[in-house]
Structures are given as C-alpha cells and as structure tokens.
C-alpha cells in the first residue's frame, strides 16, 4: 500500500468536488423543466432528454448538466471512505477493533452528523408548505439508519439525501465482516456479485430502485476504493491527465445504455482522481484550494442543504430559476460553515 497515493489534500479536494455535485444536483433536479437523473433506475428517456438539451441548449443547460450528473458525487464519497478505511486499518501493525466497537464507532460518527441536520430540517419542514407525513417506524428507521431496507425508500426517507447514512453504515459493516484484511479476491467477488446482480432487474422497476438504495448499489465504487488503496500506483501528470480524459469519455459513452450505466460510478471515481491530481499545477492551485475548503465543510454541507433547499426552491419553481439557485448556494455554504463548527463540538460518546 502506498500511503502517498492520495494525500490528505487530494482527498479533501475530491470531497469538495463530490459535495458540489451533490448539493447542486439536489436543487436542480426538483425543477420540472430540468433534465432528470438516472441514479437508482435507468430511464432511456432521461438520456434522450439530456442529449437533446446538449444539441439544442437553452438557458437552463447548466442546471440540466448538474441535475443529470451531480449525483455521481456519492460514488466519490464511497470510494474515499473505502480508501480511508484501508489506510487506517490495514497498515502494518494497525490495531483492529472488535466488530461491535468498529460498528458502534462508525455509527456514532454518522449519527452525530445526521441528527443535527435531521432535527433542524424536521422543525423547518413542519412549519413550511409541503410538510412530510412521518410515520413512527420512519423516524425510528432514520435514527437507526436502517430506512434503506424498508419498502419504497423514496417515500419514507425524508429529507431524501439522508439515505446516504444508511448506505454508509451498511458498507462499514460489510467492510468489517468481509473485506478488512481479507484477500482481494473476496473483494472482487462481492463487487462482481453486486454489480451483475442488478442486471437481472427491470431497468425502470421498483426492485432495482430498492436494490441500489442499499450496499449492493454502492459496492462497485466502494470496492474500487479498497483495491486502489491496496494496489494503486502513482502516475505522472500526463498519466493523470489521460486518466481524467479517458474516464470522462467513458462516463459519457457508457451512460447511454443500461449495461454501460452500471459501470459508470467506477469511471466517475477514476476521473475524479485524475482531475484533482492535475490541479497540482500552479495554474490550477486556486481551484484546488477552493475544492479543499469545500471538502473541509462537506459533511456539514451535506446535512444542511435540504434545509436551505426547502426555503429557496419556491423562488425557482415560480420562474426565477437562477435567483433561487444563487440564494440557495450562498446560504447553503454559509450555513454549512456554521454547522461545521457545531458538529465538531458534538462528542462521539
């Protein structure tokens, strides 16, 4: 394992890139005229819609692109989480906690982020139009982070982005039980089983939707992060540039079919690695510095952006698309800075 494969600043820059995609996507895809994404299910009409929007661009083209591609920030987070776990627990002489201690620690780490945003959002949601109708089991499942496994997760997980906490907890459990310090053959077998398993579902059906809400849908980028941490090698600047370009092209090409779309998250991750590495050039230092800072508040921005979205999206829905969008961006980043300070004060115990 090469500990310098991705530096701490590289990882923060990738987190920054991921959270920018996620929080902008989660605003844009709520607007009716904007192209919708293929995140949990594959809809050919969404691909055709995106293609026509590029061929005949309108004033909403930036929003179309953010809505269609922004959700791929999630695979980047999964990739980085796996990479970090390997670096922390698989280094020589590293202490490995018991399974219970490991799961408890990572549950509490997720919980202290989630609960702050969840409490703030539910209070705001109740006093604003369109309040969600929570059921008792929905609340328990959200706090326990097992809401992903319940039927029709689209209807019960609110705010929607918080599905990520249940997914991440599942992957922590899978890592500790099956991947940590185990043969990479096992990693490959689990990745293959999860990836090819979804090919047997209807591309637009509820079954694949529920499948991808759980760890099976995130196993490809997560497993790739494990393998990259174990076997990845440093490249030249031209190598990273080529990695970025080729991976980006593959993302565009493979997104046009159900089979290819299945593998897109892997190439999103490799494209992001190549991208942050080529930003080391002096010409792009300011861009990387900004991404690093965004990465430092990424957890706080993730939990607070549903709050600001609920406040400002009526402006865009009433026709002032970019006015509401700009207010949302400014407010989300400022609120995330404050939430970041609060999260640091919440103890794990």
């Amino acid at each position: 394992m090469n500990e310098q494969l991705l530096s701490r600043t590289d990882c923060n820059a990738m987190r920054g890139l991921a959270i920018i995609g996620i929080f902008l996507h989660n605003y844009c895809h709520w607007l009716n005229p904007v192209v919708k994404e293929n995140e949990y299910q594959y809809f050919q009409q969404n691909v055709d819609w995106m293609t026509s929007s590029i061929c005949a661009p309108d004033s909403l083209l930036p929003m179309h692109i953010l809505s269609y591609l922004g959700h791929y920030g999630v695979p980047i987070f999964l990739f980085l989480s796996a990479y970090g776990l390997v670096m922390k627990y698989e280094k020589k002489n590293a202490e490995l906690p018991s399974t219970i201690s490991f799961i408890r620690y990572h549950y509490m780490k997720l919980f202290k982020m989630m609960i702050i945003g969840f409490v703030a959002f539910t209070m705001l949601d109740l006093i604003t139009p369109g309040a969600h109708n929570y059921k008792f089991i929905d609340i328990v499942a959200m706090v326990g982070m097992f809401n992903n496994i319940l039927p029709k997760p689209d209807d019960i997980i609110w705010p929607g982005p918080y599905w990520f906490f249940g997914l991440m907890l599942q992957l922590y459990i899978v890592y500790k039980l099956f991947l940590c310090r185990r043969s990479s053959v096992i990693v490959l077998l689990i990745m293959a089983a999860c990836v090819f398993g979804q090919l047997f579902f209807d591309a637009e059906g509820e079954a694949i939707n529920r499948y991808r809400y759980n760890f099976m849908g995130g196993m490809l980028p997560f497993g790739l992060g494990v393998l990259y941490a174990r076997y990845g090698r440093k490249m030249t600047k031209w190598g990273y540039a080529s990695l970025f370009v080729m991976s980006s092209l593959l993302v565009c090409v493979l997104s046009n079919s159900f089979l290819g779309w299945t593998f897109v998250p892997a190439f999103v991750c490799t494209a992001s690695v190549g991208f942050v590495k080529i930003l080391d050039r002096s010409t792009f230092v300011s861009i990387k510095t900004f991404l690093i800072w965004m990465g430092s508040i990424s957890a706080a921005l993730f939990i607070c952006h549903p709050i600001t979205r609920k406040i400002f999206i009526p402006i865009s829905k009433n026709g002032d698309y970019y006015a509401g969008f700009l207010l949302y961006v400014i407010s989300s980043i400022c609120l995330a800075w404050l939430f970041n300070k609060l999260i640091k004060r919440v103890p794990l115990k």
Side-chain angles (χ1 to χ4, degrees):
M1 293 183 296
N2 187 343
E3 294 185 30
Q4 300 304 316
L5 198 58
L6 287 175
S7 66
R8 187 177 295 273
T9 56
D10 290 334
C11 291
N12 262 343
M14 289 177 68
R15 288 188 191 97
L17 184 64
I19 195 60
I20 289 171
I22 290 171
F23 100 98
L24 297 183
H25 154 80
N26 280 330
Y27 187 92
C28 294
H29 82 146
W30 273 67
L31 304 175
N32 287 334
V34 174
V35 173
K36 301 304 180 280
E37 75 285 355
N38 288 334
E39 185 170 6
Y40 313 109
Q41 298 151 290
Y42 179 85
F43 297 96
Q44 186 60 47
Q45 61 264 34
N46 289 347
V47 177
D48 298 337
W49 189 3
M50 186 70 238
T51 302
S52 63
S53 297
I54 293 174
C55 295
D58 57 18
S59 62
L60 294 178
L61 181 60
M63 287 189 168
H64 293 320
I65 295 172
L66 290 168
S67 174
Y68 189 73
L69 293 175
H71 67 92
Y72 283 119
V74 171
I76 297 174
F77 275 126
L78 300 182
F79 175 87
L80 289 172
S81 296
Y83 178 87
L85 288 170
V86 173
M87 288 296 145
K88 181 175 181 179
Y89 294 112
E90 298 186 23
K91 289 190 293 186
K92 192 174 182 180
N93 299 323
E95 182 180 356
L96 186 63
S98 67
T99 299
I100 297 299
S101 297
F102 179 92
I103 295 173
R104 180 184 181 278
Y105 170 79
H106 286 285
Y107 169 80
M108 291 305 299
K109 189 169 72 169
L110 293 170
F111 181 80
K112 80 168 191 173
M113 291 188 295
M114 183 272 292
I115 197 62
I116 295 171
F118 184 63
V119 169
F121 178 84
T122 51
M123 291 190 293
L124 173 73
D125 188 48
L126 186 63
I127 61 175
T128 52
H132 182 70
N133 182 24
Y134 287 98
K135 299 290 192 291
F136 176 80
I137 187 60
D138 301 345
I139 301 169
V140 173
M142 175 67 77
V143 175
M145 299 181 200
F146 60 88
N147 43 14
N148 301 50
I149 65 175
L150 298 180
K152 297 184 179 179
D154 288 332
D155 298 332
I156 64 171
I157 300 177
W158 189 249
Y162 283 23
W163 74 278
F164 179 80
F165 293 108
L167 170 69
M168 201 64 249
L169 182 62
Q170 290 181 27
L171 287 169
Y172 281 137
I173 295 171
V174 169
Y175 174 78
K176 182 61 177 69
L177 294 179
F178 304 108
L179 308 182
C180 184
R181 299 183 182 179
R182 304 290 179 88
S183 168
S184 295
V185 174
I186 296 176
V187 180
L188 288 168
L189 288 174
I190 295 177
M191 289 171 65
C194 292
V195 168
F196 290 107
Q198 74 180 35
L199 298 178
F200 295 97
F201 294 107
D202 175 14
E204 300 182 8
E206 177 59 28
I208 193 172
N209 182 54
R210 192 173 176 188
Y211 185 89
R212 288 174 63 90
Y213 258 102
N214 291 282
F215 79 90
M216 300 83 74
M219 196 61 223
L220 177 61
F222 189 82
L224 184 64
V226 172
L227 297 175
Y228 186 70
R230 292 178 181 177
Y231 303 111
R233 294 292 180 268
K234 298 181 81 170
M235 302 168 66
T236 64
K237 284 291 183 287
W238 283 109
Y240 284 119
S242 300
L243 179 67
F244 169 66
V245 171
M246 293 302 298
S247 297
S248 299
L249 288 174
L250 285 168
V251 168
C252 295
V253 172
L254 295 176
S255 295
N256 293 302
S257 69
F258 175 56
L259 178 61
W261 166 79
T262 305
F263 298 94
V264 165
F267 294 106
V268 168
C269 295
T270 54
S272 67
V273 170
F275 180 70
V276 299
K277 286 294 188 179
I278 62 178
L279 292 181
D280 287 335
R281 295 175 64 89
S282 57
T283 312
F284 307 116
V285 166
S286 58
I287 298 175
K288 189 165 185 177
T289 300
F290 172 71
L291 290 178
I292 291 168
W293 184 78
M294 288 295 291
S296 70
I297 63 167
S298 59
L301 184 53
F302 183 83
I303 65 168
C304 79
H305 79 269
I307 300 170
T308 50
R309 180 184 64 188
K310 188 80 189 288
I311 296 171
F312 292 110
I313 203 163
I315 299 174
S316 293
K317 286 187 173 182
N318 288 332
D320 293 329
Y321 296 109
Y322 286 105
F325 182 69
L326 183 58
L327 288 171
Y328 165 74
V329 170
I330 295 170
S331 302
S332 296
I333 293 175
C334 291
L335 187 61
W337 183 81
L338 294 172
F339 269 49
N340 192 50
K341 301 292 184 183
L342 181 59
I343 290 173
K344 290 178 179 179
R345 300 181 67 86
V346 177
L348 280 176
K349 295 185 179 180

PDB file of all heavy atoms in Angstrom, residues 10-11 19 77 106 114 131 152 169 230 237 243 255 268 278 296 300 302 309 325 331:
ATOM      1  N   ASP A  10      -5.524  15.889  -1.380  1.00  0.00           N
ATOM      2  CA  ASP A  10      -6.182  15.274  -2.534  1.00  0.00           C
ATOM      3  C   ASP A  10      -7.568  14.766  -2.145  1.00  0.00           C
ATOM      4  O   ASP A  10      -8.551  14.972  -2.873  1.00  0.00           O
ATOM      5  CB  ASP A  10      -5.346  14.116  -3.081  1.00  0.00           C
ATOM      6  CG  ASP A  10      -4.061  14.568  -3.760  1.00  0.00           C
ATOM      7  OD1 ASP A  10      -4.013  15.702  -4.253  1.00  0.00           O
ATOM      8  OD2 ASP A  10      -3.111  13.767  -3.791  1.00  0.00           O
ATOM      9  N   CYS A  11      -7.636  14.082  -1.003  1.00  0.00           N
ATOM     10  CA  CYS A  11      -8.924  13.529  -0.552  1.00  0.00           C
ATOM     11  C   CYS A  11      -9.926  14.641  -0.258  1.00  0.00           C
ATOM     12  O   CYS A  11     -11.111  14.528  -0.601  1.00  0.00           O
ATOM     13  CB  CYS A  11      -8.709  12.662   0.685  1.00  0.00           C
ATOM     14  SG  CYS A  11      -7.814  11.119   0.368  1.00  0.00           S
ATOM     15  N   ILE A  19     -19.161  16.983  -3.068  1.00  0.00           N
ATOM     16  CA  ILE A  19     -20.269  17.675  -2.395  1.00  0.00           C
ATOM     17  C   ILE A  19     -20.835  18.788  -3.265  1.00  0.00           C
ATOM     18  O   ILE A  19     -22.042  19.065  -3.226  1.00  0.00           O
ATOM     19  CB  ILE A  19     -19.831  18.227  -1.018  1.00  0.00           C
ATOM     20  CG1 ILE A  19     -21.058  18.598  -0.173  1.00  0.00           C
ATOM     21  CG2 ILE A  19     -18.908  19.417  -1.154  1.00  0.00           C
ATOM     22  CD1 ILE A  19     -22.004  17.453   0.108  1.00  0.00           C
ATOM     23  N   PHE A  77     -17.634   9.760  -2.730  1.00  0.00           N
ATOM     24  CA  PHE A  77     -17.586   9.632  -1.268  1.00  0.00           C
ATOM     25  C   PHE A  77     -17.371   8.177  -0.850  1.00  0.00           C
ATOM     26  O   PHE A  77     -16.622   7.895   0.093  1.00  0.00           O
ATOM     27  CB  PHE A  77     -18.871  10.175  -0.642  1.00  0.00           C
ATOM     28  CG  PHE A  77     -18.862  11.652  -0.400  1.00  0.00           C
ATOM     29  CD1 PHE A  77     -19.870  12.454  -0.891  1.00  0.00           C
ATOM     30  CD2 PHE A  77     -17.845  12.247   0.324  1.00  0.00           C
ATOM     31  CE1 PHE A  77     -19.872  13.829  -0.669  1.00  0.00           C
ATOM     32  CE2 PHE A  77     -17.827  13.618   0.560  1.00  0.00           C
ATOM     33  CZ  PHE A  77     -18.848  14.410   0.058  1.00  0.00           C
ATOM     34  N   HIS A 106     -18.409   3.866  14.117  1.00  0.00           N
ATOM     35  CA  HIS A 106     -18.778   4.467  12.842  1.00  0.00           C
ATOM     36  C   HIS A 106     -20.249   4.861  12.806  1.00  0.00           C
ATOM     37  O   HIS A 106     -20.618   5.842  12.128  1.00  0.00           O
ATOM     38  CB  HIS A 106     -18.429   3.511  11.698  1.00  0.00           C
ATOM     39  CG  HIS A 106     -16.958   3.446  11.426  1.00  0.00           C
ATOM     40  ND1 HIS A 106     -16.276   4.445  10.780  1.00  0.00           N
ATOM     41  CD2 HIS A 106     -16.026   2.507  11.748  1.00  0.00           C
ATOM     42  CE1 HIS A 106     -14.994   4.133  10.695  1.00  0.00           C
ATOM     43  NE2 HIS A 106     -14.816   2.965  11.276  1.00  0.00           N
ATOM     44  N   MET A 114     -25.793  13.331  11.297  1.00  0.00           N
ATOM     45  CA  MET A 114     -27.164  13.227  10.814  1.00  0.00           C
ATOM     46  C   MET A 114     -28.169  13.890  11.749  1.00  0.00           C
ATOM     47  O   MET A 114     -29.069  14.600  11.305  1.00  0.00           O
ATOM     48  CB  MET A 114     -27.514  11.746  10.615  1.00  0.00           C
ATOM     49  CG  MET A 114     -28.901  11.492  10.047  1.00  0.00           C
ATOM     50  SD  MET A 114     -30.201  11.380  11.302  1.00  0.00           S
ATOM     51  CE  MET A 114     -29.745   9.849  12.110  1.00  0.00           C
ATOM     52  N   ALA A 131     -45.209  19.837   4.133  1.00  0.00           N
ATOM     53  CA  ALA A 131     -44.575  19.068   5.212  1.00  0.00           C
ATOM     54  C   ALA A 131     -44.736  17.567   4.973  1.00  0.00           C
ATOM     55  O   ALA A 131     -45.791  17.101   4.524  1.00  0.00           O
ATOM     56  CB  ALA A 131     -45.180  19.458   6.558  1.00  0.00           C
ATOM     57  N   LYS A 152     -40.275   0.833  -0.533  1.00  0.00           N
ATOM     58  CA  LYS A 152     -40.472   2.161  -1.116  1.00  0.00           C
ATOM     59  C   LYS A 152     -39.664   3.243  -0.388  1.00  0.00           C
ATOM     60  O   LYS A 152     -40.229   4.185   0.199  1.00  0.00           O
ATOM     61  CB  LYS A 152     -41.961   2.522  -1.119  1.00  0.00           C
ATOM     62  CG  LYS A 152     -42.790   1.582  -1.983  1.00  0.00           C
ATOM     63  CD  LYS A 152     -44.238   2.022  -2.038  1.00  0.00           C
ATOM     64  CE  LYS A 152     -45.047   1.079  -2.944  1.00  0.00           C
ATOM     65  NZ  LYS A 152     -46.477   1.460  -3.020  1.00  0.00           N
ATOM     66  N   LEU A 169     -23.526   3.074   6.589  1.00  0.00           N
ATOM     67  CA  LEU A 169     -23.451   2.148   7.719  1.00  0.00           C
ATOM     68  C   LEU A 169     -23.402   0.709   7.219  1.00  0.00           C
ATOM     69  O   LEU A 169     -22.637  -0.118   7.745  1.00  0.00           O
ATOM     70  CB  LEU A 169     -24.652   2.351   8.643  1.00  0.00           C
ATOM     71  CG  LEU A 169     -24.664   1.473   9.896  1.00  0.00           C
ATOM     72  CD1 LEU A 169     -23.457   1.775  10.782  1.00  0.00           C
ATOM     73  CD2 LEU A 169     -25.961   1.664  10.679  1.00  0.00           C
ATOM     74  N   ARG A 230      -4.951  -0.587  -1.969  1.00  0.00           N
ATOM     75  CA  ARG A 230      -4.028  -1.719  -1.851  1.00  0.00           C
ATOM     76  C   ARG A 230      -3.032  -1.800  -3.007  1.00  0.00           C
ATOM     77  O   ARG A 230      -1.867  -2.151  -2.804  1.00  0.00           O
ATOM     78  CB  ARG A 230      -4.818  -3.031  -1.766  1.00  0.00           C
ATOM     79  CG  ARG A 230      -5.612  -3.198  -0.485  1.00  0.00           C
ATOM     80  CD  ARG A 230      -6.409  -4.502  -0.512  1.00  0.00           C
ATOM     81  NE  ARG A 230      -7.197  -4.685   0.710  1.00  0.00           N
ATOM     82  CZ  ARG A 230      -8.019  -5.708   0.914  1.00  0.00           C
ATOM     83  NH1 ARG A 230      -8.183  -6.632  -0.036  1.00  0.00           N
ATOM     84  NH2 ARG A 230      -8.686  -5.812   2.054  1.00  0.00           N
ATOM     85  N   LYS A 237       2.026  13.412 -14.327  1.00  0.00           N
ATOM     86  CA  LYS A 237       0.944  14.374 -14.578  1.00  0.00           C
ATOM     87  C   LYS A 237       0.208  14.046 -15.874  1.00  0.00           C
ATOM     88  O   LYS A 237      -1.014  14.156 -15.966  1.00  0.00           O
ATOM     89  CB  LYS A 237       1.513  15.791 -14.636  1.00  0.00           C
ATOM     90  CG  LYS A 237       1.865  16.361 -13.276  1.00  0.00           C
ATOM     91  CD  LYS A 237       0.605  16.615 -12.461  1.00  0.00           C
ATOM     92  CE  LYS A 237       0.932  17.247 -11.122  1.00  0.00           C
ATOM     93  NZ  LYS A 237       1.536  16.327 -10.180  1.00  0.00           N
ATOM     94  N   LEU A 243      -5.887   9.774 -17.591  1.00  0.00           N
ATOM     95  CA  LEU A 243      -6.888   9.067 -16.790  1.00  0.00           C
ATOM     96  C   LEU A 243      -8.169   9.883 -16.710  1.00  0.00           C
ATOM     97  O   LEU A 243      -9.285   9.337 -16.866  1.00  0.00           O
ATOM     98  CB  LEU A 243      -6.337   8.805 -15.388  1.00  0.00           C
ATOM     99  CG  LEU A 243      -7.274   8.085 -14.408  1.00  0.00           C
ATOM    100  CD1 LEU A 243      -7.526   6.654 -14.857  1.00  0.00           C
ATOM    101  CD2 LEU A 243      -6.682   8.102 -13.004  1.00  0.00           C
ATOM    102  N   SER A 255     -23.030   5.999 -20.277  1.00  0.00           N
ATOM    103  CA  SER A 255     -24.301   6.456 -19.717  1.00  0.00           C
ATOM    104  C   SER A 255     -25.469   6.262 -20.674  1.00  0.00           C
ATOM    105  O   SER A 255     -26.626   6.433 -20.285  1.00  0.00           O
ATOM    106  CB  SER A 255     -24.207   7.939 -19.338  1.00  0.00           C
ATOM    107  OG  SER A 255     -23.281   8.146 -18.298  1.00  0.00           O
ATOM    108  N   VAL A 268     -16.382   7.451 -12.839  1.00  0.00           N
ATOM    109  CA  VAL A 268     -16.515   8.747 -12.169  1.00  0.00           C
ATOM    110  C   VAL A 268     -15.415   8.889 -11.115  1.00  0.00           C
ATOM    111  O   VAL A 268     -14.796   9.956 -10.981  1.00  0.00           O
ATOM    112  CB  VAL A 268     -17.904   8.887 -11.532  1.00  0.00           C
ATOM    113  CG1 VAL A 268     -17.957  10.083 -10.597  1.00  0.00           C
ATOM    114  CG2 VAL A 268     -18.974   9.022 -12.604  1.00  0.00           C
ATOM    115  N   ILE A 278      -4.270  16.640 -11.516  1.00  0.00           N
ATOM    116  CA  ILE A 278      -3.771  17.617 -12.490  1.00  0.00           C
ATOM    117  C   ILE A 278      -3.950  19.041 -11.983  1.00  0.00           C
ATOM    118  O   ILE A 278      -3.354  19.974 -12.533  1.00  0.00           O
ATOM    119  CB  ILE A 278      -4.442  17.457 -13.876  1.00  0.00           C
ATOM    120  CG1 ILE A 278      -5.953  17.687 -13.793  1.00  0.00           C
ATOM    121  CG2 ILE A 278      -4.135  16.086 -14.469  1.00  0.00           C
ATOM    122  CD1 ILE A 278      -6.659  17.601 -15.139  1.00  0.00           C
ATOM    123  N   SER A 296     -13.564  20.423   3.301  1.00  0.00           N
ATOM    124  CA  SER A 296     -13.481  20.521   4.759  1.00  0.00           C
ATOM    125  C   SER A 296     -14.844  20.760   5.405  1.00  0.00           C
ATOM    126  O   SER A 296     -15.028  20.466   6.592  1.00  0.00           O
ATOM    127  CB  SER A 296     -12.504  21.640   5.162  1.00  0.00           C
ATOM    128  OG  SER A 296     -13.043  22.917   4.848  1.00  0.00           O
ATOM    129  N   ALA A 300     -20.916  18.965   6.767  1.00  0.00           N
ATOM    130  CA  ALA A 300     -21.901  19.951   7.218  1.00  0.00           C
ATOM    131  C   ALA A 300     -22.787  20.399   6.058  1.00  0.00           C
ATOM    132  O   ALA A 300     -24.000  20.575   6.226  1.00  0.00           O
ATOM    133  CB  ALA A 300     -21.182  21.156   7.826  1.00  0.00           C
ATOM    134  N   PHE A 302     -23.563  18.657   3.481  1.00  0.00           N
ATOM    135  CA  PHE A 302     -24.459  17.557   3.136  1.00  0.00           C
ATOM    136  C   PHE A 302     -25.697  17.554   4.020  1.00  0.00           C
ATOM    137  O   PHE A 302     -26.818  17.336   3.539  1.00  0.00           O
ATOM    138  CB  PHE A 302     -23.732  16.219   3.237  1.00  0.00           C
ATOM    139  CG  PHE A 302     -24.577  15.045   2.831  1.00  0.00           C
ATOM    140  CD1 PHE A 302     -24.716  14.711   1.498  1.00  0.00           C
ATOM    141  CD2 PHE A 302     -25.250  14.277   3.772  1.00  0.00           C
ATOM    142  CE1 PHE A 302     -25.520  13.644   1.104  1.00  0.00           C
ATOM    143  CE2 PHE A 302     -26.047  13.210   3.403  1.00  0.00           C
ATOM    144  CZ  PHE A 302     -26.180  12.887   2.062  1.00  0.00           C
ATOM    145  N   ARG A 309     -32.631  24.281   0.769  1.00  0.00           N
ATOM    146  CA  ARG A 309     -33.419  23.968  -0.429  1.00  0.00           C
ATOM    147  C   ARG A 309     -34.905  24.177  -0.173  1.00  0.00           C
ATOM    148  O   ARG A 309     -35.623  24.739  -1.004  1.00  0.00           O
ATOM    149  CB  ARG A 309     -33.157  22.524  -0.873  1.00  0.00           C
ATOM    150  CG  ARG A 309     -33.932  22.118  -2.125  1.00  0.00           C
ATOM    151  CD  ARG A 309     -33.729  20.664  -2.465  1.00  0.00           C
ATOM    152  NE  ARG A 309     -34.258  19.774  -1.441  1.00  0.00           N
ATOM    153  CZ  ARG A 309     -34.077  18.448  -1.426  1.00  0.00           C
ATOM    154  NH1 ARG A 309     -33.356  17.870  -2.363  1.00  0.00           N
ATOM    155  NH2 ARG A 309     -34.603  17.707  -0.460  1.00  0.00           N
ATOM    156  N   PHE A 325     -31.617  29.727  -7.153  1.00  0.00           N
ATOM    157  CA  PHE A 325     -30.417  28.878  -7.153  1.00  0.00           C
ATOM    158  C   PHE A 325     -29.244  29.582  -6.488  1.00  0.00           C
ATOM    159  O   PHE A 325     -28.538  29.001  -5.656  1.00  0.00           O
ATOM    160  CB  PHE A 325     -30.074  28.519  -8.595  1.00  0.00           C
ATOM    161  CG  PHE A 325     -28.895  27.603  -8.758  1.00  0.00           C
ATOM    162  CD1 PHE A 325     -28.954  26.279  -8.364  1.00  0.00           C
ATOM    163  CD2 PHE A 325     -27.713  28.075  -9.322  1.00  0.00           C
ATOM    164  CE1 PHE A 325     -27.877  25.418  -8.525  1.00  0.00           C
ATOM    165  CE2 PHE A 325     -26.621  27.231  -9.484  1.00  0.00           C
ATOM    166  CZ  PHE A 325     -26.707  25.907  -9.093  1.00  0.00           C
ATOM    167  N   SER A 331     -26.482  30.643   0.738  1.00  0.00           N
ATOM    168  CA  SER A 331     -26.988  30.305   2.072  1.00  0.00           C
ATOM    169  C   SER A 331     -26.499  28.938   2.535  1.00  0.00           C
ATOM    170  O   SER A 331     -26.166  28.750   3.714  1.00  0.00           O
ATOM    171  CB  SER A 331     -28.514  30.341   2.078  1.00  0.00           C
ATOM    172  OG  SER A 331     -28.982  31.610   1.699  1.00  0.00           O
TER     173      SER A 331
END
